Amino acid sequence: MSPAQKLPVIYVRGFAGGQSGIDNAVMDPFCGFNAGSTHMRIGPDNKPSFYQFESPLLRLMMDEGYQILVQGSQETYLDTHTEIPADSTWIHRFYDPSASTWGGTPKEFRIEDAAQDLLELIDEIRAKAHVDRVHLVAHSMGGLICRSLIQKVLPERNIEPADCVAKLFTYGTPHGGITFDLGFGMLERLRDATGINGAEIFGRERMYQYLTPGATAGDEPPDDWDPRAMPADGERFAFPHRQVFCLVGTDPGDYDVAHGLSSAVVGPRSDGLVQIDNAYVPGAFRAYVHRSHSGRYGLVNSEEGYQNLRRFLFGDLKVDSALVHHRLPEEKNTVWQGEIGLSIRGLQIVMHERTAAHWCPVQLRSDSRSGADGDGAVPLVSTFLCENLASPSGTGTLRYALHLRILSLRERDNGFLDFRDHIEQTADFDDILVVDVSSEAGVPAVRAVWNSAIVGPISDYEPAGPSLADEDPASGRWVSDIPLPDSTRTILGEEARIRLSVTDWN
């Protein structure tokens, strides 16, 4: 496995609000990418614990050797140097022209202008770093600026987005806009009509205008237009979905903007500002983490966010897992859900977590055999592994654990949940698949075992015996189906499997 090419990283910050917010935002030299944290919530009690995270900016310097190049300003450095290193980090300071703190008349902020300015920055960095493409990393509204560049600005200039952008990673971006649980749509209409503090940019009409080639002020989206959707792979000017990663926050309780009013209005299925279903691009990679939109438990200033970012940008292997060939019992008024947790050896955090308590379980359908392949595949999680982050003992083996829980909810004929046989916080199935991935003669060597079959602590377990066989060698990827424990047969059927697929991420 060859190391990933180091490309310049450009960070694009989020929404600042009105003039005072913009003036405050420009005082930060790195627009929040330098923010760290000391708080995390982990464990069954969800209580605060001390954990010192340095910041994504500093960690990229420490872990990947990236450089910050400033001589009074980024512009000064770029103007006075004909060459720059590829492993460098840059900040798109799009709010500077709109600040009143420099004197003069502030320029009105428009996402389209910020996207065009981002292209100019990208072109200069590409030319002086002698690279074809850059990575874009964005928080909140910053992801919409990047999408405006990718979906509107570049196509209008007849430029393929993938020719200058390698990967896009978004933290808590409102890809589907910002909507509210309260008000029956009235709050959204009031916001979009008044444009208070420029927040109309999160409404459908403005999103359509800055995400659609050729669209201008006054154009309205078709009724079936989905703001989350990027052009389908294969279309002209489409940016490949596999080069997009969306980090989704699921902790509204720790988002204390406006003394908690924001999270109360947006609702529990959110990070406090962006609802879960609006925080990703369909077809892109995504991870769910119990973090809020910003603050002491924020997405950007979190170990969870950084580890997903680092592995997506620089990982060696992509591992996909899915539940296949399952057949749920056909029980009247019964809803089945799956809960997923992904942990990687050596990290004190959960990389990906979809649970009912966090309002984002995986919905399982009884018609599991539907689909072109007939295997009823339910994607569970995709993760990226780094060979240089293998076992501390130096074995070269990458280990991760996939925690799978299957739950059933029963309703009465009147639509209310039936709790007569219910046992709170108890799953019908609960086990952990321990997966070890290494390389033998350049080919993935994968071993997997359920925790229920391991004697003693997982940390003491050493895989033995032959690795799993590649069941589809002609596909160009390593694939193997792993049987579930016998205890699942009456729930998922005798043929249910966890399918692992491993591909070279470079």
Side-chain angles (χ1 to χ4, degrees):
M1 293 177 285
S2 59
Q5 180 189 10
K6 295 293 179 65
L7 296 174
V9 171
I10 300 178
Y11 178 69
V12 188
R13 65 154 291 143
F15 183 62
Q19 191 62 59
S20 63
I22 292 174
D23 291 346
N24 185 63
V26 301
M27 292 192 295
D28 188 334
F30 299 108
C31 294
F33 204 46
N34 54 322
S37 63
T38 57
H39 288 68
M40 70 184 307
R41 294 190 186 275
I42 195 166
D45 56 9
N46 207 33
K47 291 183 178 179
S49 299
F50 180 84
Y51 184 91
Q52 189 169 341
F53 174 66
E54 302 90 329
S55 80
L57 184 67
L58 186 55
R59 288 291 289 277
L60 283 175
M61 296 171 61
M62 297 163 55
D63 295 340
E64 298 294 338
Y66 270 67
Q67 303 176 56
I68 302 172
L69 304 172
V70 178
Q71 286 184 348
S73 75
Q74 290 181 155
E75 288 186 3
T76 299
Y77 192 95
L78 289 170
D79 288 344
T80 57
H81 290 75
T82 58
E83 294 187 349
I84 58 174
D87 50 354
S88 53
T89 304
W90 305 87
I91 309 298
H92 180 30
R93 296 187 57 87
F94 57 85
Y95 268 136
D96 284 353
S98 301
S100 64
T101 54
W102 317 119
T105 303
K107 177 183 176 182
E108 180 185 1
F109 170 74
R110 294 179 69 252
I111 279 191
E112 294 92 329
D113 294 338
Q116 291 169 4
D117 292 343
L118 176 57
L119 177 57
E120 293 179 7
L121 178 61
I122 290 173
D123 285 344
E124 185 170 13
I125 290 173
R126 290 168 59 210
K128 294 188 175 182
H130 303 291
V131 297
D132 293 329
R133 302 184 295 172
V134 302
H135 295 314
L136 297 179
V137 179
H139 175 231
S140 194
M141 181 195 70
L144 299 178
I145 293 175
C146 295
R147 284 185 57 196
S148 181
L149 167 75
I150 290 170
Q151 294 178 229
K152 181 179 177 70
V153 173
L154 289 171
E156 288 180 346
R157 299 189 181 193
N158 206 34
I159 300 173
E160 288 287 347
D163 289 344
C164 56
V165 177
K167 295 174 184 175
L168 167 63
F169 184 99
T170 66
Y171 297 92
T173 288
H175 292 287
I178 292 180
T179 54
F180 309 111
D181 261 8
L182 303 180
F184 303 100
M186 183 181 301
L187 295 178
E188 292 91 336
R189 291 192 292 272
L190 179 63
R191 173 201 62 197
D192 298 346
T194 61
I196 183 170
N197 289 332
E200 77 280 1
I201 60 174
F202 302 116
R204 279 174 52 84
E205 183 172 318
R206 271 297 287 134
M207 293 185 75
Y208 178 77
Q209 293 162 8
Y210 62 71
L211 292 177
T212 306
T216 59
D219 289 349
E220 296 184 0
D223 291 340
D224 61 350
W225 183 72
D226 183 356
R228 301 177 305 162
M230 297 179 70
D233 290 346
E235 293 184 11
R236 193 180 182 201
F237 302 122
F239 189 72
H241 288 70
R242 70 187 303 271
Q243 292 170 219
V244 180
F245 191 109
C246 304
L247 192 71
V248 181
T250 64
D251 177 15
D254 286 312
Y255 187 65
D256 56 6
V257 170
H259 304 288
L261 179 61
S262 169
S263 60
V265 174
V266 172
R269 288 177 46 85
S270 73
D271 62 8
L273 181 63
V274 180
Q275 292 186 350
I276 289 173
D277 290 340
N278 288 334
Y280 62 87
V281 171
F285 295 115
R286 62 185 187 263
Y288 296 74
V289 296
H290 196 52
R291 286 278 176 169
S292 61
H293 192 75
S294 60
R296 69 169 64 96
Y297 295 98
L299 288 165
V300 177
N301 53 319
S302 72
E303 188 76 50
E304 295 93 327
Y306 173 72
Q307 291 296 339
N308 277 289
L309 169 68
R310 183 185 184 189
R311 284 164 166 76
F312 177 64
L313 296 186
F314 310 114
D316 308 298
L317 294 173
K318 177 173 71 73
V319 183
D320 300 308
S321 59
L323 176 65
V324 298
H325 300 304
H326 60 289
R327 185 180 292 278
L328 294 165
E330 295 183 1
E331 298 181 4
K332 181 181 178 182
N333 297 338
T334 300
V335 176
W336 294 89
Q337 296 177 338
E339 295 189 336
I340 309 298
L342 175 72
S343 302
I344 294 179
R345 177 166 55 188
L347 298 179
Q348 299 180 42
I349 49 91
V350 180
M351 292 278 292
H352 171 83
E353 191 174 17
R354 296 189 65 176
T355 68
H358 298 164
W359 298 85
C360 56
V362 178
Q363 301 298 328
L364 302 177
R365 301 186 307 173
S366 58
D367 56 339
S368 61
R369 299 302 176 90
S370 62
D373 297 331
D375 57 15
V378 176
L380 299 179
V381 62
S382 296
T383 190
F384 305 90
L385 303 177
C386 298
E387 188 176 25
N388 64 330
L389 300 178
S391 168
S393 63
T395 62
T397 300
L398 313 169
R399 171 173 289 179
Y400 73 92
L402 181 68
H403 191 176
L404 175 63
R405 303 177 80 232
I406 305 296
L407 305 94
S408 59
L409 298 173
R410 291 169 172 79
E411 295 181 347
R412 300 182 183 183
D413 291 336
N414 58 11
F416 289 96
L417 291 177
D418 187 348
F419 291 104
R420 287 173 295 183
D421 295 321
H422 176 76
I423 303 178
E424 183 64 21
Q425 298 187 22
T426 302
D428 297 288
F429 169 76
D430 190 336
D431 210 338
I432 298 171
L433 185 65
V434 180
V435 182
D436 290 283
V437 183
S438 59
S439 179
E440 296 177 0
V443 177
V446 181
R447 295 173 174 84
V449 63
W450 290 99
N451 184 40
S452 55
I454 295 176
V455 178
I458 294 178
S459 59
D460 293 342
Y461 167 71
E462 292 294 336
S467 58
L468 297 171
D470 184 357
E471 299 179 13
D472 191 11
S475 67
R477 60 173 182 164
W478 183 97
V479 180
S480 186
D481 289 354
I482 301 166
L484 278 87
D486 291 343
S487 59
T488 65
R489 290 185 177 181
T490 58
I491 302 172
L492 299 175
E494 295 186 0
E495 300 179 15
R497 300 288 188 271
I498 296 295
R499 175 168 296 165
L500 297 180
S501 304
V502 183
T503 54
D504 187 344
W505 183 232
N506 291 325

